[in-house]
Amino acid sequence: LDTSEIAKSEQNLQNYLFSKGYYNVRISHSIEYRKKKAIVTYYICPGNAYLIDKVSLSADDAEIDQFLNENMS
C-alpha cells in the first residue's frame, strides 16, 4: 500500500470540495488489511458550504475600472 497515494487522494478530495464552496473540509482515513489487500475508507466532514453572492472590483485607472465594470455582468 502506497500511503503517498492516500495523501494525494485526500488532497484531491479537498481540492474538489473547495472548488464547490466547502472551505473548512476535514478529511481523514482508515486502512483495513484483509489478507493481501488493503481497504482505504475516507471520512469527510465538509462543514458548511459558502456561496459567493457578489464580487466587486475596482481599479485606480479609470479605463481599467470601466472595463471591469462592463465585463462583470
Side-chain angles (χ1 to χ4, degrees):
L1 178 68
D2 187 353
T3 55
S4 67
E5 290 297 320
I6 294 172
K8 285 180 191 176
S9 293
E10 284 185 0
Q11 188 61 51
N12 288 338
L13 288 165
Q14 189 162 4
N15 291 342
Y16 174 77
L17 290 165
F18 188 89
S19 75
K20 298 299 180 186
Y22 294 92
Y23 301 132
N24 299 313
V25 177
R26 288 180 292 143
I27 300 175
S28 60
H29 68 273
S30 67
I31 304 169
E32 182 181 339
Y33 295 97
R34 292 187 184 168
K35 297 185 181 181
K36 293 185 179 185
K37 291 186 177 185
I39 297 171
V40 180
T41 303
Y42 294 93
Y43 303 97
I44 302 169
C45 295
N48 294 326
Y50 289 84
L51 177 63
I52 298 173
D53 184 48
K54 183 177 179 182
V55 175
S56 298
L57 301 174
S58 65
D60 292 334
D61 184 299
E63 286 183 43
I64 294 173
D65 192 57
Q66 180 182 356
F67 174 80
L68 290 172
N69 289 318
E70 289 173 357
N71 292 290
M72 285 297 290
S73 314

